[in-house]
Amino acid sequence: MAKRTANGNLEVESRLEMKIKGKLMDGEGIGNTFRRLAHQVIERNDGVGNLVIIGIRTRGITVAKRIKKCLDSIEGSDIPLGVFDITLYRDDLEDLTSEIEFSGSEIDFPLDGKTVLLCDDVVYTGRTVRAAISEIMSMGRPAKIQLLTLIDRGHRELPFKADYIGKSVPTSKREGIAVRLDEEDGEDAVYIYDK
C-alpha cells in the first residue's frame, strides 16, 4: 500500500512502482540549484548573521543540510540547523491515523528575533507549511520566516508562497513529484509521475 508524505508525495518504496513521465532535474541540476538558492538567501538577508535553518521531516532535512553546506561554504559560517517533525501540527491527523509516525523535532537554539529559513523538498497545498509555522510560533517569535523549496508544484489550498524556489513545476492533480536525494535514495533526481 502506498504511504504518503506530508506534502502528498509517495514514500520511497512506492516510488519504484510509479509510472515515470519524465526527469525534471539530475544531480548536476540539483547541485546548481542549491548554489543559486544559497546566493539568493545571502543577497536577500544581507548575509547569514541572523539566520537559522529548519528542515521539515523527511526530505526537507536533507534540503536544509544541503543549503546550509552551500551557505556555510560561501559565507564561512556555521548556521544553526534544526529539524521539525510537523506531525502533531497537521490538520489531517484523523485521516492519517494508521500512517502516523512521530520522530520528534530537534531545535536546540532560540528562534526569537531570528530569520528562520524553513526548508522542504516540495511545496504543494501549503498545509505542511502551515503546520511548520504553527510549530515555529509555539517555540518563539522570529523576526522573519522564509520558505525555501526545491520544487513548487502548485495547487495551493492555503495562501503560502515560497521565498526561494528551485523549480516551479505546474502539475495536474493526477501527477506527482518524486524528489530523490542521494542520502536517502542513492541518487539525486527529480521525477514527475502519474499517480
Side-chain angles (χ1 to χ4, degrees):
M1 183 172 147
K3 185 176 176 183
R4 297 220 171 258
T5 63
N7 58 24
N9 289 327
L10 298 176
E11 286 285 1
V12 176
E13 304 84 44
S14 303
R15 291 178 182 184
L16 300 176
E17 301 168 10
M18 64 192 163
K19 183 181 175 190
I20 302 289
K21 292 179 69 173
K23 188 182 225 180
L24 303 174
M25 297 174 86
D26 60 11
E28 183 179 353
I30 289 174
N32 290 338
T33 297
F34 277 114
R35 285 186 288 280
R36 174 178 55 81
L37 292 172
H39 284 286
Q40 290 175 1
V41 170
I42 292 165
E43 182 177 342
R44 183 167 181 177
N45 293 293
D46 295 321
V48 296
N50 199 43
L51 196 68
V52 298
I53 301 172
I54 298 175
I56 300 172
R57 286 196 195 275
T58 55
R59 280 178 180 71
I61 298 169
T62 304
V63 169
K65 287 178 179 177
R66 291 217 189 160
I67 199 67
K68 173 185 166 39
K69 184 177 179 181
C70 288
L71 290 166
D72 286 346
S73 173
I74 295 166
E75 291 287 288
S77 57
D78 186 13
I79 302 167
L81 175 68
V83 172
F84 269 168
D85 185 334
I86 54 94
T87 302
L88 299 180
Y89 290 84
R90 292 183 62 149
D91 62 3
D92 59 354
L93 284 177
E94 293 173 359
D95 300 334
L96 300 173
T97 51
S98 63
E99 300 175 12
I100 291 177
E101 182 179 319
F102 182 69
S103 301
S105 297
E106 302 164 21
I107 308 291
D108 61 358
F109 47 84
L111 301 181
D112 290 334
K114 297 293 184 181
T115 296
V116 175
L117 183 63
L118 187 62
C119 301
D120 207 359
D121 60 337
V122 178
V123 174
Y124 183 35
T125 62
R127 293 185 182 278
T128 298
V129 175
R130 186 216 50 86
I133 290 173
S134 293
E135 186 166 354
I136 289 169
M137 298 310 288
S138 76
M139 299 179 74
R141 184 172 167 77
K144 294 184 222 173
I145 300 173
Q146 298 175 346
L147 176 61
L148 180 145
T149 186
L150 192 58
I151 303 292
D152 183 340
R153 61 170 293 197
H155 300 289
R156 287 303 179 278
E157 294 173 3
L158 299 174
F160 292 105
K161 182 179 184 302
D163 298 280
Y164 311 100
I165 300 169
K167 188 176 189 76
S168 291
V169 182
T171 60
S172 76
K173 296 263 186 178
R174 298 181 314 275
E175 295 172 320
I177 298 291
V179 174
R180 295 182 56 83
L181 297 170
D182 190 53
E183 294 86 339
E184 289 91 17
D185 309 305
E187 73 168 325
D188 277 348
V190 178
Y191 298 100
I192 187 166
Y193 64 91
D194 279 325
K195 292 182 179 178

